[in-house]
């Protein structure tokens, strides 16, 4: 089992300053990817899912 624990605020900061977050990895549909290499629409989706309340 793998958990992603990252705040939406940190992910938004990574969108604004990707050079400072080159090593930030997120889990997407069964694979891991560098957040700053994802296209903006997918980044926004990851942020939205991070903000969902259980």
């Amino acid at each position: 089992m793998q958990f992603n624990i990252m705040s939406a605020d940190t992910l938004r900061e990574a969108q604004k300053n990707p050079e400072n977050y080159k090593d930030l990895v997120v889990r997407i549909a069964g694979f891991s990817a560098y957040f700053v290499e994802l296209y903006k629409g997918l980044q926004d989706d990851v942020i939205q899912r991070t903000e969902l309340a259980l």
Side-chain angles (χ1 to χ4, degrees), residues 11-46:
L11 296 173
R12 283 190 195 90
E13 181 64 26
Q15 280 183 314
K16 293 176 187 173
N17 300 297
E19 65 279 357
N20 296 333
Y21 294 88
K22 293 178 183 177
D23 60 347
L24 178 60
V25 177
V26 293
R27 189 88 172 148
I28 310 280
F31 68 93
S32 296
Y34 290 105
F35 181 77
V36 298
E37 293 180 359
L38 301 173
Y39 67 91
K40 181 156 182 339
L42 190 50
Q43 289 178 347
D44 291 340
D45 184 57
V46 171

Side-chain angles (χ1 to χ4, degrees), residues 6-15 46-48 50-51:
M6 189 64 49
S7 73
D9 292 334
T10 300
L11 296 173
R12 283 190 195 90
E13 181 64 26
Q15 280 183 314
V46 171
I47 291 170
Q48 183 180 12
T50 300
E51 295 178 320

